[in-house]
Amino acid sequence: MSFYSKFSDNDLIESYKNQVDYQGKLSNELLDEISKRGSIDDFIKEIENQKQILNERNKIIREIHQHYLNKSSKEEALSLLSSDVLSRQEIRILVEEKYVDIHYRAENLKIDSDTIISSFFGAIIASVVSTIIMFLLLASINSLIVFNFFLLVPMYIINYLIIKFFTNKTRDNLAVFIATFMATILNCIYFFLFIYFSD
């Protein structure tokens, strides 16, 4: 049984591409498996067909993005898009998916007063909550005196998750990123103040 016998057709195509790109030639074992499934010419045609479909999808996606930026509706974009490779149904699905995706990304990056206020309050609450969690954890292992900078990683993650909850935006948003960073700085300040006043 050959190494490639259990490969799906797509896995076989990926192996073919990798060997051509990185070794410059195909192994006999791969050629044998391709021959068992049909002719090498049909296999290469299938690769070219997949490449053509991928290129066409990328072209349509770029056009959809441009239509979105031009504030065209989904219906307008769909009426302006055409393809000799993709069906109308495939184009419709692409338009639906990409309009939702682009809208989400645009909204996620938007910084308005609500985002700033939510980020600010989120940072305050997140820094207090994550500090309490870390104090409880350190107290449970009797290491409260020692501050280790590796603790900043879990505190940062807790801060980010809380701020994300408040803003409904990811760290790609500049306000969320800054608020998460500031909450982590507050964690350090709280910790050092606690150590200073507990002496």
Side-chain angles (χ1 to χ4, degrees):
M1 180 180 286
S2 117
F3 172 75
Y4 298 101
S5 60
K6 293 187 178 179
F7 277 37
S8 69
D9 289 345
N10 284 333
D11 291 337
L12 208 60
I13 288 171
E14 285 306 311
S15 296
Y16 175 93
K17 289 177 183 175
N18 288 336
Q19 286 192 16
V20 168
D21 290 343
Y22 298 111
Q23 298 173 10
K25 61 178 184 175
L26 301 175
S27 68
N28 291 331
E29 200 174 9
L30 180 59
L31 282 170
D32 288 344
E33 186 59 36
I34 293 169
S35 298
K36 286 178 188 173
R37 299 188 190 193
S39 73
I40 188 77
D41 290 338
D42 289 341
F43 187 78
I44 292 171
K45 280 179 188 171
E46 179 57 28
I47 292 173
E48 289 302 317
N49 184 47
Q50 285 187 8
K51 185 177 177 183
Q52 185 181 11
I53 290 170
L54 181 62
N55 289 341
E56 187 69 9
R57 282 176 60 88
N58 289 337
K59 180 182 84 79
I60 294 291
I61 287 169
R62 285 192 299 272
E63 290 179 20
I64 291 169
H65 196 270
Q66 193 57 51
H67 289 308
Y68 182 90
L69 292 177
N70 292 338
K71 303 197 184 310
S72 301
S73 69
K74 285 188 267 189
E75 289 72 25
E76 288 173 319
L78 189 59
S79 68
L80 295 169
L81 295 168
S82 63
S83 172
D84 296 329
V85 178
L86 303 178
S87 69
R88 289 304 296 166
Q89 183 60 23
E90 288 172 311
I91 294 173
R92 180 179 295 281
I93 291 168
L94 273 178
V95 169
E96 290 290 336
E97 288 175 354
K98 292 303 163 187
Y99 261 65
V100 169
D101 184 52
I102 296 166
H103 178 74
Y104 170 78
R105 290 173 185 273
E107 286 299 310
N108 186 50
L109 293 175
K110 192 184 293 181
I111 300 174
D112 53 18
S113 58
D114 286 343
T115 305
I116 293 169
I117 292 167
S118 298
S119 296
F120 176 76
F121 285 114
I124 300 297
I125 293 167
S127 65
V128 171
V129 170
S130 61
T131 300
I132 290 170
I133 290 170
M134 284 302 125
F135 275 139
L136 291 173
L137 178 64
L138 291 171
S140 70
I141 58 173
N142 295 321
S143 297
L144 197 56
I145 307 303
V146 181
F147 179 79
N148 291 307
F149 282 99
F150 77 86
L151 293 175
L152 292 176
V153 174
M155 285 194 281
Y156 180 89
I157 293 169
I158 294 168
N159 291 336
Y160 167 66
L161 292 174
I162 293 171
I163 293 166
K164 182 182 177 188
F165 173 78
F166 273 89
T167 60
N168 288 321
K169 298 190 178 188
T170 68
R171 64 178 167 264
D172 293 334
N173 184 287
L174 185 60
V176 171
F177 177 79
I178 291 171
T180 305
F181 180 75
M182 291 188 68
T184 308
I185 297 294
L186 285 172
N187 291 134
C188 297
I189 293 169
Y190 298 155
F191 191 90
F192 287 121
L193 285 174
F194 179 84
I195 297 299
Y196 178 78
F197 286 112
S198 63
D199 286 344

